[in-house]
Amino acid sequence: MSQPTDLEELRHGTDLVKRGFARMQKGGVVMDVVDRKQARIAEDAGAVAVMALEAVPADIRKRGGVARMADPGDVREIIEEVSIPVMGKSRIGHTKEAEILETIGVDMIDESEVLTPADDSYHIEKREFTAPFVCGARNLGEALRRIDEGAAMIRTKGEAGTGDVNQAVHHQRNIKATIRKLQGMSSEERTAWAREHEAPAALVEETAESGRLPVVNFAAGGIATPADAALMMHHGCDGIFVGSGIFGAENPEAMGEAIVEAVNAWDDPETLAGITEGIGGGMKGEANANLPEEERLQGRGV
């Protein structure tokens, strides 16, 4: 006989509730938006959620300077505009920005390397919040450290704002290859791996036994076309974050709808060909290989 569900516990931001909310976004597309007009376009295009931020990553790159949490008033307007979940970005380690976002009612907080990190050494203690968190990772050790801190969703870090999917692919392949490697290890070897990568041994064991991360794993960073989105689903991602790729495109409405359709039809080349045809040009972007080291965002907050 199963144990009765503790409804009181379920109401107060447990890992079960947070991970359950994250899983509800599985198979969908989360779109970056900066105002209510863009949020309306995203919802109409079929996004499962929107990410409210001050500027899309490509514009953050061009503008330079310090990138911070969006104005709470702008985030409230986006919440009022749409019926789908609204997420908000805080700086890495900036507990107060996260508290503000939680207070104004965002459904999920992204502790994001796209914004200027507030703390060089520590991330936010995410278990102290009732709102679930999503965090970026480039490899399995980084992903498991964020999950241990309370992250309910992991996304690839990619190289945000470039329109070059290369690094998102690299991160996803890296995580999957390491999981396969762990599955071939003995218990003692997994313990040694956990110690080397500063990851909790219990999470390492859980990941090896299940053959996947304990939370949903989305793709983010450099996704700019329907084919990019389909490629990341092909590599085993549970869903897609799209930032500059939609509102930097020639026709944002058409691009948004096409990327949503591509996630649903990622393993059907004929359908993908139809989806991709005639949607207008994508964002111009910049190849990762041409970026100077000091302009790369993915290495922040490891």
Side-chain angles (χ1 to χ4, degrees):
M1 184 175 177
S2 61
Q3 294 295 318
T5 302
D6 187 338
L7 294 178
E8 187 62 26
E9 184 180 357
L10 286 176
R11 290 192 188 100
H12 290 90
T14 63
D15 280 352
L16 176 66
V17 173
K18 292 175 181 176
R19 292 185 185 187
F21 173 81
R23 279 197 295 273
M24 289 171 65
Q25 318 311 313
K26 191 174 178 180
V29 177
V30 182
M31 299 184 189
D32 283 353
V33 299
V34 301
D35 56 34
R36 64 191 315 161
K37 181 180 177 183
Q38 290 188 354
R40 171 51 41 206
I41 292 172
E43 181 170 20
D44 291 346
V48 293
V50 293
M51 178 71 72
L53 68 170
E54 188 182 27
V56 294
D59 290 338
I60 290 173
R61 283 186 179 280
K62 289 177 189 171
R63 187 186 66 189
V66 176
R68 309 179 179 90
M69 173 190 72
D71 185 310
D74 295 337
V75 180
R76 286 186 198 275
E77 286 188 0
I78 291 169
I79 292 172
E80 291 169 1
E81 179 65 32
V82 296
S83 59
I84 54 178
V86 175
M87 305 179 180
K89 282 187 188 296
S90 73
R91 283 177 269 181
I92 290 174
H94 206 310
T95 302
K96 292 302 170 184
E97 283 190 347
E99 288 176 355
I100 291 168
L101 288 168
E102 183 173 69
T103 297
I104 63 177
V106 301
D107 297 286
M108 180 174 258
I109 299 167
D110 185 353
E111 189 179 14
S112 176
E113 71 282 356
V114 172
L115 307 184
T116 309
D119 195 315
D120 293 330
S121 302
Y122 297 97
H123 282 67
I124 296 168
E125 286 292 337
K126 291 168 267 293
R127 295 191 190 281
E128 296 178 359
F129 290 78
T130 54
F133 275 71
V134 52
C135 289
R138 296 182 299 170
N139 54 57
L140 184 60
E142 196 175 345
L144 295 182
R145 290 195 293 276
R146 299 292 87 77
I147 294 169
D148 185 49
E149 293 162 358
M153 177 190 286
I154 293 295
R155 55 170 174 73
T156 58
K157 282 184 171 177
E159 191 55 60
T162 60
D164 185 348
V165 75
N166 170 279
Q167 289 302 291
V169 171
H170 177 72
H171 299 164
Q172 181 65 8
R173 281 190 176 279
N174 188 338
I175 289 171
K176 290 185 68 178
T178 308
I179 291 173
R180 288 194 295 270
K181 186 177 176 184
L182 284 177
Q183 288 180 302
M185 291 182 182
S186 66
S187 179
E188 291 81 2
E189 289 168 332
R190 290 174 186 172
T191 301
W193 188 95
R195 193 177 302 117
E196 179 184 352
H197 296 274
E198 299 179 350
L203 280 178
V204 171
E205 282 290 339
E206 181 181 350
T207 302
E209 292 301 319
S210 66
R212 59 157 295 144
L213 288 176
V215 302
V216 288
N217 178 23
F218 275 45
I223 297 162
T225 69
D228 288 347
L231 177 65
M232 296 312 299
M233 296 301 287
H234 166 78
H235 284 301
C237 290
D238 295 313
I240 304 293
F241 282 83
V242 184
S244 318
I246 290 179
F247 293 102
E250 192 175 294
N251 185 337
E253 290 88 349
M255 184 62 76
E257 290 177 8
I259 288 178
V260 170
E261 291 177 22
V263 167
N264 293 326
W266 63 269
D267 59 348
D268 182 348
E270 190 171 340
T271 301
L272 286 175
I275 290 169
T276 306
E277 188 173 339
I279 56 172
M283 67 177 289
K284 181 182 177 184
E286 185 167 6
N288 290 305
N290 296 335
L291 282 180
E293 188 63 36
E294 63 273 17
E295 292 184 16
R296 297 183 181 186
L297 306 178
Q298 61 177 279
R300 293 168 162 180
V302 297

